[in-house]
Amino acid sequence: MEAYDEENKNAYSHPPLRHQPGPWLVICDEKHQERQTFFSILENHYYPRIIPDMCSKYIKTSNFGWLVLKDCVSDNFFLLNLRSMEKAHLPELKSSSSYRICILSATPSDPNCRVIFHDSGDNCASFCRPGDVEYIKQELDDDYMPFAATTFKGKVYWLTLRCDRHSLVVVDFTGQSLHFRGLIKQQCLLMPPEVICCGFYLIESENELLFVHKIYLGFSCDVTNFRVLRAEFSKMEWVEVESIGQRTIFLDSNRGMASSSVEAGTRSNCIYFVNFGDKNLYVFDMEDRSITTLLPCPNVSRHDSLPYWIWL
């Protein structure tokens, strides 16, 4: 009995290491996000966990099987691989509450790997390699303030919203600085005047770069609609997408990803999205523009939940 309990305890402190082709929904809740609940859409099953390295941590981004984690009460950051539980050190980042955008450019073992944070308050970028003792800080021109960012075919891309400049730029690392190359100058945010609040995402999907525009009802947190555009690099323009076909897009409050709906066991031509402080999962159908509400993890608290999509 003692061995059985020890085995269960060990499993409870590690993520469910089941392979699935789509992302996992992870909801962190309880005081200081001490519990993590993993939900598999493919299995329609949730797994409560208390993983010590994830307790009292915020997930800033997830890519290549790694998480960038920030301590809830300090400015400490580190990288965590949930399969191997390997960690990689990152320098302390002061005043990190204003760093909304975080990008992991490659797997940490890649010598070209960079972790990039953007400070929306000062419009500056702080970046480093895993294991560095300090960040390189670079002030940015207003033309290159990012509102969304992602990796695509080994490069980092930023979405900007200056009406007279490029809306899509690629970020190059040259020595100790970032350099920007404008790609698409056409603006992609011509919205009716009643649209006040919105969210922006850049997503890599099946060799395409997608821009997803999440539209809220007034100043509320209620999502009413989405637009999806594709970067047409041959013409250097944005093309509106009416259907994403046999794909599903996954969005949390800061990041987005996509996968095959057939492989992931999700509804095709749909956007699965979650909101901070909300334990529901919402499904937006791009064909009939309807929104379905699901309750994937009834065990989590309603007001203290922070949901994220991650790859395992």
Side-chain angles (χ1 to χ4, degrees), residues 31-193:
K31 187 178 181 181
H32 302 305
Q33 287 71 59
E34 294 173 352
R35 178 176 62 180
Q36 308 84 39
T37 301
F38 292 74
F39 176 69
S40 167
I41 296 178
L42 188 63
E43 299 175 352
N44 191 29
H45 187 79
Y46 66 91
Y47 301 86
R49 294 291 191 268
I50 296 180
I51 301 171
D53 283 329
M54 292 185 69
C55 290
S56 302
K57 305 294 188 298
Y58 298 122
I59 301 175
K60 302 302 291 184
T61 195
S62 159
N63 209 357
F64 309 106
W66 289 80
L67 307 180
V68 178
L69 297 175
K70 178 196 177 296
D71 190 89
C72 290
V73 295
S74 73
D75 293 320
N76 293 326
F77 290 80
F78 64 94
L79 293 162
L80 175 66
N81 186 303
L82 281 179
R83 286 199 169 271
S84 65
M85 300 308 293
E86 179 185 358
K87 293 195 290 186
H89 168 77
L90 293 175
E92 187 177 272
L93 188 62
K94 297 295 185 181
S95 304
S96 56
S97 60
S98 60
Y99 288 80
R100 187 183 65 84
I101 291 177
C102 174
I103 291 292
L104 179 64
S105 68
T107 185
S109 61
D110 189 325
N112 295 316
C113 175
R114 302 291 195 285
V115 182
I116 313 167
F117 295 92
H118 177 257
D119 183 344
S120 57
D122 295 334
N123 190 24
C124 68
S126 298
F127 57 98
C128 70
R129 290 185 172 94
D132 284 354
V133 297
E134 62 182 5
Y135 291 93
I136 299 171
K137 188 173 181 179
Q138 179 176 332
E139 294 184 0
L140 304 181
D141 187 283
D142 288 345
D143 293 344
Y144 301 121
M145 174 179 281
F147 287 81
T150 193
T151 56
F152 177 63
K153 295 185 176 180
K155 292 285 188 178
V156 175
Y157 287 78
W158 284 7
L159 180 78
T160 67
L161 296 180
R162 285 292 295 269
C163 295
D164 56 341
R165 301 299 183 194
H166 292 88
S167 59
L168 183 69
V169 300
V170 62
V171 183
D172 294 318
F173 299 94
T174 306
Q176 300 291 305
S177 61
L178 304 178
H179 289 266
F180 303 91
R181 291 184 289 117
L183 297 178
I184 297 179
K185 194 167 185 178
Q186 168 204 2
Q187 289 301 305
C188 51
L189 291 174
L190 299 177
M191 301 300 297

Side-chain angles (χ1 to χ4, degrees), residues 5 17 24 30 79 85-86 115 160 182 195 236 248 280 298:
D5 290 342
L17 296 180
W24 289 76
E30 295 192 341
L79 293 162
M85 300 308 293
E86 179 185 358
V115 182
T160 67
V195 175
M236 288 299 175
T248 301
N280 291 324

